[in-house]
Amino acid sequence: MSPLLQVEGVTKRYGARIGCEGVGFDLWPGEVMGIVGESGSGKSTLLGCLAGHLTPDTGRILYDAGAGSGAQDVTAMPEAARRRLLRTDWAFVHQNPRDGLRMNVSAGGNVGERLMAVGARNYGAIRARAGDWLGRVEIDGARMDDRPSAFSGGMQQRLQIARNLVSGPRLVFMDEPTGGLDVSVQARLLDLLRGLVRDMGLSAVIVTHDLAVVRLLADRLMVMKSGRVVETGLTDQVLDDPQHPYSQLLVSSVLQV
Amino acid sequence: MTDGMQDYNFAYLDEETKRMIRRALLKALAIPGYQVPFASREMPMPYGWGTGGVQVTAACLVPEDRLKVIDQGADDTTNAVSIRGFFARTAGVATTERTAEATLIQTRHRIPETPLREGQILVYQVPIPEPLRFLEPRETETRRMHALEDYGLMHVKLYEDIARHGAISTSYAYPVKVAGRYVMDPSPIPKFDNPKLESPAIQLFGAGREQRIYAVPPYTRVVSLDFEDHPFEASKPDHPCALCGATDSYLDEVITDDTGARMFVCSDTDYCAGRRAEGAA
């Protein structure tokens, strides 16, 4: 078995300031990697570079699309190929569902968009798959023709997840998927995500500042501070026995109820 | 101002401008359906009245041409009469209302019912050339979508139509794919006219305000977008023409009094008049 994603020395600067510097890791098929750190630590910059939204200044991001094609450098890919990757093999769940959804298109249309983008042309079949996915993210099928603007925040986030997973991606990037949701909705969403990730054998990179999220979802953890990775390891290992002073601070900052 | 030929260059525009527009036209013909930017000029008419079409017509006209201008199929409406008069004065070309006699036809929102033939040029006035505009407002993004053939969004719109109305409710400016590559807005012609886009004539599209020219060369494949289980349908009002009895032409609904009485008549006045002259109905 070879890694799905190999990240080598990714650096992104904003002028003189550092976005993220010298980040490298391997992501294996079926593995969930968590990236934690405080605001401004470069988590989102790193995720943007990985997902192809930003172009890193240096470094390589190798993705193995399977089918014996070998690992390809995503940063050097032609844009057409990268787009194809983004709407088939990859998925990106935004923190704010409004960034990832088309708010003036019905829920069914939102879920069907990726299917139509890769050439699905049978209305009935598209609708059936959209309905199936709405069910999997616990949205009532009767709301299929409603616009996301009529949905609650938690439903919008679940819809965004359905829209991303409908094409059967192998790699999902999530940027604070539970941010902005209240705790009970968060818990249900996490439950749902955990089920989907395990059932579909997804690999995922999850950026969050919420340690509970990574505790539940992530196999491995990367702690970032000031654009650099300060500690990596198995999630439980890092959270239960943090070595770096910043990780210790992070873990001890969590409120105990 | 009695003799326009003394006051204006042939067909109003100066030769350099016509040359620039012809270059854009050649490029547009070489890449069917691709929107070619051009340096649209101020014309002596407001935007929305056919400034793009007039510039394309001006660049194509030669003294031997016979010009026909229609507006929603009619030869006798303000827009058509003005533009026909404009070129009669500035170019001194012959004009006609007969589709078959014309060598160059400028049209607003219709394709004539009489089949076009080789050697004819059909010039469309286009308000918004970008078929993706109402789905994606950013020009940078729509250009990239065209470049990468990323047209999934167009089907999302059709999907929404069916989800909301039970059928594809887009009835004009119905998107088409030209030569298997570019998705194109055929200007706001009724979708009844879409099958006529595959034609022996040259079809040129000019958008003055948006500064774009695009074209469909003769005998180019033009496919209206649809779903397998909701195929494209070239629809029209289900009536015969009240004047000539034609059942195969696109009809306008005309309100005839205050009590809601109405009649359906051919939108193509030349076609209707021709049929009546032949003694139909």
Side-chain angles (χ1 to χ4, degrees):
Chain A
M1 200 161 76
S2 59
L4 191 66
L5 192 72
Q6 291 168 273
V7 181
E8 297 169 3
V10 168
T11 299
K12 172 81 183 170
R13 285 196 178 80
Y14 300 107
R17 284 177 295 120
I18 294 170
C20 62
E21 189 170 50
V23 180
F25 66 91
D26 287 350
L27 186 74
W28 295 78
E31 187 182 35
V32 179
M33 168 75 107
I35 303 174
V36 293
E38 60 193 1
S39 296
S41 60
K43 313 184 294 275
S44 294
T45 298
L46 174 61
L47 196 71
C49 289
L50 297 182
H53 300 172
L54 300 169
T55 312
D57 298 331
T58 57
R60 296 200 304 163
I61 299 163
L62 302 169
Y63 174 71
D64 187 353
S69 57
Q72 277 184 300
D73 190 351
V74 180
T75 53
M77 244 184 212
E79 191 173 352
R82 190 160 60 221
R83 277 217 170 191
R84 200 172 313 123
L85 202 60
L86 283 176
R87 63 190 185 206
T88 53
D89 258 19
W90 289 12
F92 195 100
V93 177
H94 292 264
Q95 172 174 9
N96 186 342
R98 282 165 192 275
D99 297 337
L101 290 173
R102 292 192 186 278
M103 298 306 283
N104 53 357
V105 167
S106 70
N110 263 295
V111 178
E113 180 175 347
R114 276 167 87 101
L115 300 174
M116 291 183 251
V118 295
R121 292 291 177 265
N122 189 304
Y123 176 80
I126 293 166
R127 210 168 156 77
R129 278 195 61 191
D132 174 42
W133 266 96
L134 289 180
R136 286 163 84 164
V137 297
E138 299 167 15
I139 293 175
D140 185 0
R143 311 270 333 244
M144 189 166 179
D145 294 329
D146 290 351
R147 294 181 179 193
S149 46
F151 286 9
S152 69
M155 278 173 82
Q156 288 181 357
Q157 194 58 289
R158 294 204 299 275
L159 179 62
Q160 193 193 177
I161 288 164
R163 167 185 159 89
N164 273 291
L165 297 188
V166 67
S167 60
R170 301 170 68 211
L171 177 56
V172 185
F173 299 99
M174 296 189 217
D175 189 1
E176 309 266 12
T178 58
L181 301 176
D182 66 59
V183 282
S184 62
V185 175
Q186 258 190 37
R188 278 180 59 205
L189 186 73
L190 284 174
D191 209 30
L192 175 78
L193 271 179
R194 189 162 57 166
L196 288 172
V197 165
R198 295 288 175 256
D199 290 349
M200 297 176 73
L202 292 176
S203 304
V205 178
I206 299 179
V207 159
T208 183
H209 55 248
D210 188 343
L211 294 183
V213 171
V214 287
R215 175 78 90 173
L216 271 173
L217 288 177
D219 303 310
R220 265 196 308 148
L221 199 56
M222 221 160 72
V223 182
M224 287 187 77
K225 178 164 178 5
S226 309
R228 294 186 180 81
V229 176
V230 295
E231 186 166 353
T232 57
L234 298 175
T235 304
D236 293 342
Q237 181 189 331
V238 174
L239 292 184
D240 295 339
D241 183 20
Q243 299 296 312
H244 190 274
Y246 176 72
S247 312
Q248 292 169 354
L249 177 75
L250 201 66
V251 170
S252 61
S253 304
V254 177
L255 285 176
Q256 302 294 331
V257 181
Chain B
M1 290 284 283
T2 47
D3 182 3
M5 296 305 287
Q6 288 175 352
D7 306 306
Y8 295 108
N9 187 38
F10 178 76
Y12 185 76
L13 289 175
D14 61 276
E15 292 306 312
E16 283 301 306
T17 299
K18 285 194 263 182
R19 195 172 117 118
M20 173 271 294
I21 294 173
R22 284 173 194 148
R23 291 171 73 117
L25 287 170
L26 287 176
K27 182 169 179 181
L29 282 163
I31 319 171
Y34 173 72
Q35 299 166 47
V36 183
F38 79 111
S40 177
R41 299 290 192 249
E42 290 283 335
M43 296 302 283
M45 58 201 293
Y47 288 122
W49 285 65
T51 51
V54 161
Q55 289 178 75
V56 171
T57 300
C60 292
L61 272 182
V62 291
E64 297 76 32
D65 266 326
R66 186 173 286 272
L67 177 71
K68 171 183 163 80
V69 184
I70 52 174
D71 171 5
Q72 304 275 17
D75 289 277
D76 53 3
T77 49
T78 315
N79 199 217
V81 171
S82 318
I83 293 174
R84 193 164 54 231
F86 175 75
F87 282 116
R89 194 158 94 178
T90 59
V93 292
T95 60
T96 179
E97 296 193 355
R98 304 282 303 158
T99 302
E101 288 169 10
T103 55
L104 197 157
I105 304 171
Q106 180 171 335
T107 175
R108 173 172 176 268
H109 306 181
R110 271 313 306 277
I111 299 176
E113 304 289 355
T114 309
L116 301 177
R117 53 179 161 74
E118 279 182 30
Q120 286 182 312
I121 300 177
L122 186 59
V123 175
Y124 295 77
Q125 303 171 195
V126 181
I128 294 168
E130 179 52 72
L132 303 162
R133 177 58 67 236
F134 292 107
L135 305 166
E136 173 54 65
R138 287 168 294 178
E139 174 71 15
T140 48
E141 189 58 26
T142 52
R143 279 204 209 186
R144 185 172 293 134
M145 289 162 82
H146 281 296
L148 299 174
E149 235 181 313
D150 192 355
Y151 292 134
L153 204 49
M154 205 76 241
H155 271 87
V156 172
K157 178 183 182 288
L158 300 179
Y159 171 95
E160 287 290 291
D161 266 7
I162 304 173
R164 213 164 293 158
H165 307 291
I168 297 177
S169 61
T170 305
S171 56
Y172 64 94
Y174 193 102
V176 294
K177 194 164 211 179
V178 181
R181 175 63 179 83
Y182 284 97
V183 166
M184 183 187 95
D185 181 346
S187 85
I189 59 172
K191 68 177 171 184
F192 175 79
D193 282 344
N194 269 21
K196 290 187 244 167
L197 286 164
E198 281 185 16
S199 164
I202 298 175
Q203 298 173 82
L204 307 173
F205 298 76
R209 179 179 46 209
E210 304 286 325
Q211 312 198 321
R212 293 289 184 278
I213 282 172
Y214 52 102
V216 177
Y219 304 110
T220 303
R221 188 154 168 67
V222 180
V223 180
S224 303
L225 301 180
D226 61 2
F227 286 101
E228 291 161 4
D229 43 353
H230 285 267
F232 170 78
E233 198 186 340
S235 60
K236 73 177 208 44
D238 191 16
H239 292 271
C241 170
L243 298 178
C244 75
T247 53
D248 58 347
S249 77
Y250 191 75
L251 303 176
D252 284 338
E253 184 180 10
V254 183
I255 309 286
T256 51
D257 61 24
D258 287 349
T259 58
R262 60 198 60 201
M263 62 192 284
F264 287 90
V265 296
C266 289
S267 110
D268 187 335
T269 51
D270 166 54
Y271 182 74
C272 196
R275 277 177 55 85
R276 275 180 286 157
E278 283 167 22

